[in-house]
Amino acid sequence: MKRNLFVWCLALFMGLSLQAEEAVDSVQLMIDSLNRELQQMKLQEMVMRDALDKSGETARQDSIRRAEQKRRIDSLRQVTPGVPLIINGDTLLHVYASLGGEDATYRVAGIERKILQIGKSLTMTTDTMHIFESEYTTDIMSGEIVIMRVSDLDGLWQGLSRQELAEQNLAIISAEISSLHAEYGLKAKLQGLGWAVFLIVVQIVFFVLTVRFIRHLRQKIITGFNGKIHSLVIKGYELWNVHQTKRFLLLATRFLQVLLVVLQLIISLPLLFSIFPETEKFTWKMISYVWEPLRDMMLSLVYFFPNLVKIGVIIYVVRWLLKGIHHFTDEIAAGRLKFDKFYPDWAQPTYHIIRIFVIAFTIVLIWPWLPGSESGIFKGVSIFVAALFSLGSTTTIGNLISGIIITYMRPFLVGDYVRIDNKEGVVVEKNAFITRLKDIKGNIVTVPNNSILSQQTVNYTAALRYGEGSIIHSDFTFTYVVPRETIEKYLLEAAGRCQMLLKEPAPFVLITALEDFYTRYEINAYTRETEQLFAVYSELHHHIVDVFREHQLNPTSSHFVSVKENKDY
């Protein structure tokens, strides 16, 4: 309205100064121009209002969209921990989003590699850390190296802007790089090398001092203890002499030297490896090699202790049970306790048999409580040992069973003079596996028990226990020219001269054969010297030769013939 009023006033003014017709045309043109400008201004106003309305709506929509996105990311963060950036066991930060086609895991691997590269570089100092802003990311850099790129999505995951997140991560990464460089840098290496040299020198000094100390101690033992060490004598028996004492002390010094060296190495080697971070892990590994077995042993003992108590109780009861049985069998063996048809020499073998069965039963009882008894390896080893024992001890088991049978058959006792096959001697030992004889030459003959059962056994001493004694005999042949009565008389005379032969029962002569050219005579006599049969035979033959020579009879080869064949007997 104001503009129309202005136009009319202006037209009136112009119409007054110009002609009416011209004034009307000019005013009309001006009015048309002003209307066009007015319409253009209204159109621009409408465009501006429309643009303003659209921008406000977009801003509101963007705000709503960001809020919704933040809510979704918060819910995702609860179930998605992200990929942690871990350096030397410390978690520095988490990366959730991908960037430029690289997922979070690949990004973390690259960041870690660059941090370690810069932190472990052999330089005195590291480049200054700074932030570089690009169009779409904010970069954390060290010199010309880009360590980490931070995007808007990274900031959204953390609830920060990318600039704020970059500043936060810059402080964390800078601190970690400074820590790594202080530990792995050139300055740290030089300091570590100095400490290593110092530690090696100290260790060498300790080694030298240890060797000198042990050498001095050994010299002191050899020369300095003379007259100060005495022999240990109990009831006249020298149980421990001075020489043995010195040998023991010298051996103890060797053990002490090894112990000291090992202790020094146990202390110095971990210290040496712990100087440099690259070898520090070997320190704990070396300590674990010693500590873990000890720890496992201690834990095994703790867990095994209840079963150990049970096993101890069983062994204690069995031990006293065997002692009672042993005392009982000792009384039987000594003859103080007697049972019908149970001989005293059966007592000790019977005790050993009972002992074997009791021990076997005890092993069966405690087997399930032994550590590792349920493991496959334990069972496999048990089966392997049993197979080796069964396959490799066939002869041994045979001798053992034969020894048991011989014990209860009682074909001979210790001290008896026996003949086993073609071997004669006094039984000096009889155990579960073998029997030992002492022959007439003083040699010890060992006979397996398994072979005794399959061979003929003659017990000469048993005749003394069950009769007058053992009969010895010897064959002689004479021609038919010599009368039988004469030969028998001379043989009995020779037997009567023997001191080792019994007079009662009296000796006797048998004619065992009538050959073509001679008669075979056998002199028989009783003796109780069964352990000296070789001496008895020697004495008998000595007197027979003497008697025949006294009566002018000479032995020729295996025949005794008359010197004077025509002599009247």
Side-chain angles (χ1 to χ4, degrees):
M1 293 297 293
K2 293 180 179 180
R3 290 178 179 178
N4 293 331
L5 181 60
F6 174 72
V7 171
W8 282 108
C9 291
L10 182 59
L12 181 61
F13 175 75
M14 293 178 66
L16 293 175
S17 61
L18 300 173
Q19 294 178 359
E21 185 174 348
E22 292 178 356
V24 171
D25 293 337
S26 297
V27 170
Q28 186 63 39
L29 291 172
M30 188 175 292
I31 290 173
D32 292 338
S33 177
L34 290 175
N35 286 332
R36 286 192 300 270
E37 292 179 2
L38 181 61
Q39 291 176 1
Q40 184 68 29
M41 294 176 64
K42 288 183 178 181
L43 180 60
Q44 290 178 358
E45 182 182 3
M46 291 175 62
V47 171
M48 292 177 63
R49 287 183 178 274
D50 184 64
L52 182 61
D53 292 340
K54 288 183 179 180
S55 62
E57 183 66 25
T58 301
R60 288 192 299 271
Q61 290 178 356
D62 289 341
S63 177
I64 295 173
R65 185 168 57 255
R66 284 194 296 270
E68 180 65 20
Q69 191 176 28
K70 183 177 181 303
R71 185 185 64 80
R72 291 178 180 178
I73 289 175
D74 290 339
S75 63
L76 286 175
R77 192 184 292 113
Q78 296 177 359
V79 297
T80 305
V83 180
L85 174 60
I86 302 175
I87 306 293
N88 292 337
D90 296 331
T91 302
L92 303 182
L93 51 89
H94 289 78
V95 176
Y96 297 88
S98 301
L99 180 61
E102 297 179 355
D103 59 4
T105 304
Y106 190 82
R107 290 180 64 193
V108 167
I111 297 170
E112 179 184 0
R113 183 175 61 255
K114 293 174 183 177
I115 291 176
L116 293 176
Q117 176 185 351
I118 298 171
K120 294 183 178 182
S121 60
L122 291 177
T123 58
M124 296 301 295
T125 59
T126 58
D127 293 332
T128 305
M129 302 287 297
H130 61 278
I131 291 177
F132 177 77
E133 286 287 346
S134 63
E135 185 176 358
Y136 299 105
T137 60
T138 300
D139 301 337
I140 300 174
M141 303 181 67
S142 174
E144 299 297 328
I145 301 175
V146 178
I147 299 176
M148 181 179 183
R149 297 182 186 275
V150 181
S151 65
D152 292 327
L153 192 55
D154 290 325
L156 190 61
W157 271 96
Q158 302 291 345
L160 303 170
S161 65
R162 75 185 192 194
Q163 290 79 11
E164 293 174 342
L165 182 59
E167 292 288 345
Q168 178 178 316
N169 291 344
L170 174 63
I172 296 173
I173 294 174
S174 297
E176 183 63 25
I177 289 177
S178 299
S179 176
L180 288 173
H181 196 265
E183 189 174 1
Y184 291 92
L186 182 59
K187 182 179 179 181
K189 290 292 187 294
L190 294 176
Q191 291 177 349
L193 184 60
W195 281 110
V197 172
F198 173 75
L199 185 60
I200 292 173
V201 172
V202 171
Q203 184 61 71
I204 292 174
V205 171
F206 273 109
F207 280 164
V208 173
L209 292 177
T210 301
V211 172
R212 290 185 177 180
F213 170 72
I214 296 299
R215 187 181 301 165
H216 174 74
L217 189 60
R218 291 175 63 84
Q219 189 67 27
K220 189 71 173 177
I221 292 172
I222 294 174
T223 61
F225 287 170
N226 293 332
K228 299 180 180 180
I229 302 177
H230 303 283
S231 301
L232 179 61
V233 180
I234 299 177
K235 294 183 179 180
Y237 175 72
E238 190 178 41
L239 184 63
W240 192 265
N241 57 35
V242 176
H243 180 67
Q244 290 173 326
T245 303
K246 288 186 176 182
R247 287 185 60 188
F248 174 77
L249 292 177
L250 291 175
L251 182 63
T253 57
R254 289 293 186 188
F255 176 77
L256 178 62
Q257 181 178 359
V258 173
L259 181 62
L260 290 176
V261 171
V262 170
L263 288 176
Q264 292 174 18
L265 291 176
I266 290 176
I267 296 173
S268 61
L269 287 180
L271 288 176
L272 182 63
F273 283 120
S274 63
I275 291 176
F276 300 100
E278 291 85 356
T279 59
E280 187 176 3
K281 59 182 180 181
F282 294 106
T283 302
W284 299 108
K285 186 174 291 187
M286 292 175 61
I287 295 175
S288 67
Y289 288 155
V290 178
W291 167 246
E292 289 181 1
L294 294 176
R295 181 196 62 188
D296 294 340
M297 289 174 59
M298 296 301 296
L299 291 177
S300 299
L301 288 176
V302 172
Y303 296 147
F304 180 63
F305 184 75
N307 292 338
L308 182 62
V309 173
K310 297 176 185 178
I311 293 174
V313 171
I314 292 175
I315 293 177
Y316 182 79
V317 172
V318 170
R319 179 170 175 269
W320 281 102
L321 176 63
L322 290 177
K323 280 189 174 182
I325 297 174
H326 196 197
H327 175 74
F328 187 70
T329 54
D330 284 344
E331 293 295 311
I332 296 177
R336 291 186 290 270
L337 183 62
K338 298 181 180 180
F339 292 94
D340 292 339
K341 297 182 180 181
F342 191 90
Y343 300 98
D345 55 295
W346 287 359
Q348 293 303 324
T350 303
Y351 164 73
H352 290 299
I353 294 173
I354 295 174
R355 183 170 175 266
I356 291 173
F357 281 104
V358 170
I359 292 175
F361 181 71
T362 304
I363 292 175
V364 171
L365 284 180
I366 68 176
W367 188 272
W369 293 329
L370 293 176
S373 60
E374 297 297 328
S375 65
I377 296 178
F378 195 91
K379 295 177 181 178
V381 172
S382 302
I383 295 173
F384 179 71
V385 172
L388 288 180
F389 181 78
S390 61
L391 294 176
S393 61
T394 304
T395 304
T396 304
I397 297 299
N399 286 325
L400 176 62
I401 296 174
S402 299
I404 295 173
I405 295 174
I406 290 172
T407 298
Y408 289 97
M409 286 177 58
R410 303 181 79 241
F412 50 79
L413 302 176
V414 175
D416 289 357
Y417 189 87
V418 300
R419 184 177 77 235
I420 301 174
D421 194 19
N422 60 347
K423 295 175 285 292
E424 290 188 8
V426 179
V427 179
V428 294
E429 182 183 353
K430 183 180 67 172
N431 57 40
F433 300 98
I434 53 96
T435 298
R436 288 191 172 91
L437 307 178
K438 185 177 182 180
D439 63 11
I440 60 175
K441 303 297 184 181
N443 300 319
I444 301 298
V445 180
T446 300
V447 184
N449 288 337
N450 197 20
S451 64
I452 295 177
L453 291 181
S454 60
Q455 296 176 356
Q456 184 180 11
T457 303
V458 179
N459 190 340
Y460 296 103
T461 307
L464 300 177
R465 291 193 292 267
Y466 303 112
E468 294 83 0
S470 179
I471 296 178
I472 67 168
H473 60 88
S474 187
D475 294 341
F476 298 92
T477 58
F478 292 89
T479 62
Y480 289 105
V481 176
V482 183
R484 175 188 61 80
E485 296 81 359
T486 301
I487 300 301
E488 290 181 355
K489 176 183 176 182
Y490 292 164
L491 291 175
L492 292 176
E493 181 182 351
R497 294 182 183 183
C498 294
Q499 299 297 323
M500 294 184 177
L501 297 179
L502 297 177
K503 302 301 185 286
E504 291 294 334
F508 56 93
V509 178
L510 299 176
I511 300 176
T512 59
L514 297 174
E515 306 294 345
D516 293 338
F517 303 104
Y518 51 81
T519 306
R520 183 178 297 277
Y521 297 90
E522 183 184 83
I523 178 66
N524 294 269
Y526 291 89
T527 183
R528 303 186 71 86
E529 304 296 334
T530 56
E531 296 183 7
Q532 304 182 59
L533 288 180
F534 63 95
V536 175
Y537 276 104
S538 177
E539 183 186 20
L540 176 62
H541 293 158
H542 173 78
H543 288 295
I544 289 175
V545 170
D546 289 346
V547 170
F548 286 148
R549 287 189 179 277
E550 291 172 3
H551 294 84
Q552 299 181 354
L553 287 175
N554 290 328
T556 302
S557 184
S558 60
H559 306 281
F560 283 93
V561 298
S562 174
V563 176
K564 298 180 180 180
E565 294 183 359
N566 296 326
K567 182 178 178 181
D568 186 10
Y569 291 95

